[in-house]
Amino acid sequence: NSEDVRCKCICPPYKDHSGHIYNKNVSQKDCDCLHVVEPMPVPGPDVEAYCLRCECKYEERSSVTIKVSSV
């Protein structure tokens, strides 16, 4: 399979938690904080506020192109 797909969520610092980048192979429809951020670093009541701060992007890339260009 030459296509790599992933969802990348960039979450800034929140309360006493440092910022973090999460990557996960999920479908485009599941590319959101709730599906990608594992383990969730905040307790239940803070999940919504934490997730609203995260920026999630669905990415597709060709690993063949990356391998060829990095040789």
Side-chain angles (χ1 to χ4, degrees):
N1 186 5
S2 63
E3 291 298 316
D4 287 337
V5 295
R6 69 178 181 177
C7 182
K8 179 178 183 180
C9 290
I10 301 171
C11 300
Y14 178 77
K15 293 189 177 177
D16 59 346
H17 299 280
S18 59
H20 198 78
I21 296 173
Y22 298 88
N23 291 304
K24 191 170 182 186
N25 292 337
V26 295
S27 66
Q28 191 167 6
K29 70 177 181 62
D30 289 336
C31 184
D32 59 42
C33 174
L34 293 175
H35 288 96
V36 177
V37 176
E38 290 180 355
M40 186 60 69
V42 296
D46 287 333
V47 168
E48 186 176 358
Y50 181 80
C51 281
L52 286 172
R53 298 165 63 93
C54 297
E55 182 182 336
C56 297
K57 290 183 187 167
Y58 184 73
E59 299 177 342
E60 291 183 41
R61 60 192 183 151
S62 171
S63 57
V64 172
T65 304
I66 292 167
K67 286 176 188 164
V68 170
S69 62
S70 64
V71 172

